[in-house]
Amino acid sequence: MTQGHFDHHSAECTADPVAYYAAFRDRCPVGRTPAHGGFVYTTRYADVVRVARDDATFSSTREATGVDGVAIVIPSGPGLAQYPIELDPPASAPYRDLINPLLTPDAVDGLRPMIARHVTRVIDAFVEQGSADFVRDLTNPVPAAVTLDWLGFPEEDWARLAGPIHDIFAAPPDSERAQRGARGLAYMERRIRELVRARRAEPKDDAVGVLAAARRPDDGEPFTEDELVSVIGLLIAGGVDTTTSLTGSVLVHLSRHPDQRRRLIESPDLLETATEEFLRAFAPSQSMARTALADAEIGGCPVRAGERVLIPWVAANHDPAVFPDPERVRLDRDASRHLSFGIGTHRCAGAHLARAMFREMITQVLTRLPDFRVLEDGLIGYPTSGNQTGWDAIPAVFTPGVRAGSAAVAPAPALGTTFDMVVTAVERAADDVVALTLARPSGAEPPAWRPGAHLEFRLPSGRVRQYSLCGDPADRAHYRVAVLRETGGRGGSEELHALAAPGVTLRVRGPRNHFPLVAADDYLFLAGGIGVTPILAMVREAVSRNADLRVVYGGRTRTSMAFRDELAALAGDRLRLVPQDEQGVPDLRAVLAGVGPGTAVYCCGPAGMIAAAERACAGLGLSDRLHVERFTGDDVPEVPFDPSRNTEFEVHLARTGRTLRVPADRRLIEVVREAVPGLSYDCEKGYCGACETRVLGGEPEHRDSLLTPEEREAGRTMMICVGRCASSRLVLDL
C-alpha cells in the first residue's frame, strides 16, 4: 500500500473513470488517499465484493462515520436518512422485508402496462417534432412518472419532484443548483408525510398505501412516519435518476455504434442480455462507501477502525480478471455478475423495476425513433462522476414519427416465461449428440417461436443452459433441441444427457431469439458442429419461402455431424458437407467471396469458426451482412459438483412456520418462493447475492460462486437459488 493522489471526483476521473481506475489498479490497486478528509480506495472486483458483503466489519451507518451526513458516499453530504441502505443488518432486515414484496419480478410484471403507457405518452409529446433532448423529454420524466405513479403520488407531483432529484445527482456540491435540489427534497419530505397520513386515514392499494398499513414484525406496531419518509424517499431517489442515467448513456452509445443499434432492432430479444452488459458498462452509481468498524485488511492494505473505504462499482465492472476485454461493450456477453445493483444485503431492491423501465424506453426508441442521432456538440455530462454519473443534456434528431395516441402499445416483454416441458422422445442425432422432443405436460401449445430462437433450461442441479430450437416452428405441439455431450466441460451437457429419457420434466424459459432470420434475396448458411441446430431451422424456413440459399456445414467427422441427412433432404445440392478428417477446414474467405450483393450470411459454430467468419467478412466488406450466434458461458464461473448427488430434503421456514419438501428434481428456490411470495432474488445462478439467506439449522450444500471458503465452512448463509442441503433437513430464516 502506498500513498496516492487518488480522487474519484477529480476532472481526470470524470473524463474517463474506466481508465482512471485501471491505472490505479495496475500500480496500486488498494491505497490510502488524503482527498476528502482521507479514505482507503479499492479498484478490484474481489476487494469491492469483500467490503460490500462484510457488514460486520464495514458499516453503512451514519453513526459509524461520526458525521451527520449520507454515510454511503464520499464525501458525506446532506440528505434524508435512507432506510434500509444506511442501516446494517439485522436493523436493516425489517425495512428490506417491507419493500421486497413490492418489487419482486411478478410485482414488476404487473407494472409493465403502466410503464408502457407513460413511455408512449412522453414520446408522443415530441415524436412529431423530429428533435428532442432525451434527458429533459424522456429519460428524466419517465422514471419519475412511473416511480411516483406506482407509489401513489398525484400527477401534479411528478414533474415537481423529478427535477430536484436530478439536480441533487447532477449538481456540484454547494452550487446554487444543489441548493435548489435540497429545497426540492424538503418539499418531497413534506409530500411523503402528507401522503402517508392520507393513506392511513383512507387506505388505497398503491405502494404508499401498502407501506402505510404495514406492521413491524417484532411488536406488531405500524412503522413510524419518520421511518416511512426514509424508506419512500430512498425508493423515489433510487427509482428516478439511476434509470435516467443508464438510459441516457445507452442512447448515446447506440448513436455512436449504429451496428449495435441495428442488431437490437433486428433482434429485439437480444436486449435481455444486452441490458446486463449496459448496466456493467454504464453503471449509474459509480461508487459507494463503507466505514471500518475494526482494524482490517483489504488486498494487502491495512485499514484502521473508523476509516472510510470507497467501493467503486465502475472499477469492479471493468476488472479484466472478471470481465475479459472490459472496455468493449459486447451485446451477447453474460455480464450478470456486474455490481451496478450492488451486492450483499444492500443489493438494490428495485433492480427489476429499473430494468423494466429501461427496456421499455429503449424498445420504444428503437421502434419509434430508429434513426435517431445524438448531437455530440450539445452533450452535457455531470460535472463529476465520482458517485453518480449521467447526462444533463442529450440533444437528438430523428425522422418525425406519428403519435400513438390512445392506441394500445404492448409493453416490452418480461425477461421470459418459465414453464415445464416433458421429454416425449429421445434420439441419437450424431456421435455424443442427443435430440430431445418436448411437449407441455398439459398438452397445451408452448409459446410460438421463429428460426434462431433458443430455450433456457434450468436444470435440477441449479445449472442454467441455452439450447437452440431446431425443430419446425409450424409444429405447435412440440419443441426439439439437440445437446452435444461436452466431456470435460462445465457439466450442463453431461447432466442433460443423463436426464434424457421420455417422461422427464424439465423447467425451461423462453423462447428468446438473439439470432433472427432477416428478409434477404438469398442466404449463405455457415454451420460448424452443434452450431447446425439454429441453422437447420433457418434452412427449413428459407426453403419454405423458395429463397435462394447455400449451406456449408463442417464437423470433425461425418458421424459427428448431426442432422446431415435432414439438411440434405431440405437443401439438396445446395448443401456442402465438409468433414474435417476428409477435407480439412473450410476456406471461409473463398466461400464468402462468391456472395451476391443481397446475400445475408448466417454463421453458428465454435468460437474459432465465428472469429474466422468475422475476419473474412471484414476483409471483404461484408460485416454488415454477417449474423452470428454465440453463447458466452465461458465468462461465467460455476462450482463443480455431481448432480447425481441431488436428494430430496425438508426445508423449514422459521419465520413463516412452514415445512416443505424439496424433491431431487426441483431447485430449493422454486419450492421456497411458492411459500414466500416476497422473496428477493435476481440472477438465479449463484453469484449476485440477492437471495443470500441465513441458515438456522441443517448442513447447506453450497453451489454458488460468491461465498468464501470460510463462509462455506461456517454455513451461516447460503444462496438458495442454486444451493441444496447435505443433510435431511434445512432451517432457513424466512
Side-chain angles (χ1 to χ4, degrees), residues 184-520:
L185 289 185
Y187 171 78
M188 181 179 76
E189 179 179 355
R190 187 173 81 248
R191 288 295 295 125
I192 293 172
R193 292 185 186 278
E194 292 170 350
L195 197 60
V196 168
R197 293 168 191 166
R199 292 297 180 269
R200 284 180 167 166
E202 187 177 340
K204 289 187 178 180
D205 61 358
D206 51 38
V208 171
V210 172
L211 296 172
R215 302 276 173 165
R216 299 180 62 85
D218 52 352
D219 57 16
E221 292 295 314
F223 288 86
T224 68
E225 192 175 281
D226 285 347
E227 288 174 311
L228 293 182
V229 166
S230 181
V231 169
I232 296 168
L234 177 61
L235 291 174
I236 295 172
V240 176
D241 211 69
T242 52
T243 311
T244 295
S245 167
L246 173 67
T247 310
S249 295
V250 171
L251 290 172
V252 172
H253 174 81
L254 293 178
S255 178
R256 293 171 175 171
H257 297 84
D259 56 325
Q260 294 197 350
R261 173 168 46 182
R262 176 180 62 83
R263 282 195 69 193
L264 290 173
I265 291 172
E266 292 178 353
S267 312
D269 281 351
L270 183 58
L271 187 57
E272 176 185 356
T273 301
T275 294
E276 303 309 306
E277 174 70 342
F278 290 143
L279 280 161
R280 179 196 70 83
F282 308 118
S285 176
Q286 296 275 281
S287 70
M288 297 186 83
R290 300 289 187 265
T291 305
L293 297 176
D295 291 350
E297 175 269 330
I298 307 170
C301 174
V303 180
R304 297 184 294 269
E307 281 196 293
R308 304 276 275 139
V309 180
L310 186 78
I311 46 174
W313 313 124
V314 60
N317 286 348
H318 288 83
D319 186 342
V322 179
F323 301 103
D325 195 12
E327 289 78 17
R328 180 184 173 201
V329 175
R330 218 177 68 208
L331 299 182
D332 52 8
R333 185 200 302 264
D334 184 349
S336 46
R337 293 179 72 200
H338 70 76
L339 301 184
S340 297
F341 290 129
I343 196 165
T345 58
H346 290 311
R347 183 175 169 84
C348 177
H352 303 294
L353 179 58
R355 290 188 183 103
M357 290 191 289
F358 166 77
R359 293 184 69 232
E360 185 63 45
M361 284 189 280
I362 294 296
T363 296
Q364 287 210 34
V365 167
L366 294 178
T367 303
R368 304 180 65 188
L369 320 171
D371 64 349
F372 77 89
R373 178 170 58 87
V374 168
L375 303 178
E376 295 279 342
D377 289 347
L379 281 173
I380 301 175
Y382 285 8
T384 171
S385 297
N387 298 330
Q388 194 83 8
T389 192
W391 297 97
D392 226 5
I394 306 176
V397 294
F398 46 85
T399 300
V402 298
R403 294 168 55 89
S406 59
V409 175
L415 296 184
T417 303
T418 302
F419 52 95
D420 288 336
M421 296 290 284
V422 174
V423 178
T424 60
V426 180
E427 60 179 308
R428 180 180 178 277
D431 294 345
D432 288 327
V433 177
V434 294
L436 309 180
T437 302
L438 309 160
R440 295 293 296 271
S442 64
E445 291 185 353
W449 62 282
R450 303 302 306 160
H454 66 267
L455 274 185
E456 181 179 275
F457 286 74
R458 295 190 171 271
L459 303 178
S461 65
R463 293 183 174 107
V464 178
R465 295 293 184 270
Q466 295 84 25
Y467 296 104
S468 295
L469 290 164
C470 58
D472 186 348
D475 180 353
R476 297 295 295 110
H478 302 94
Y479 288 157
R480 183 173 65 162
V481 298
V483 182
L484 170 67
R485 184 198 301 272
E486 297 183 83
T487 305
R490 296 185 300 147
S493 65
E494 294 273 9
E495 181 176 359
L496 204 42
H497 270 248
L499 291 168
V504 169
T505 298
L506 297 170
R507 194 75 169 163
V508 302
R509 189 174 75 141
R512 309 299 290 175
N513 200 333
H514 301 173
F515 193 42
L517 187 66
V518 300

Side-chain angles (χ1 to χ4, degrees), residues 130-141:
S131 65
D133 180 328
F134 278 150
V135 177
R136 181 194 65 207
D137 300 328
L138 175 66
T139 67
N140 182 246

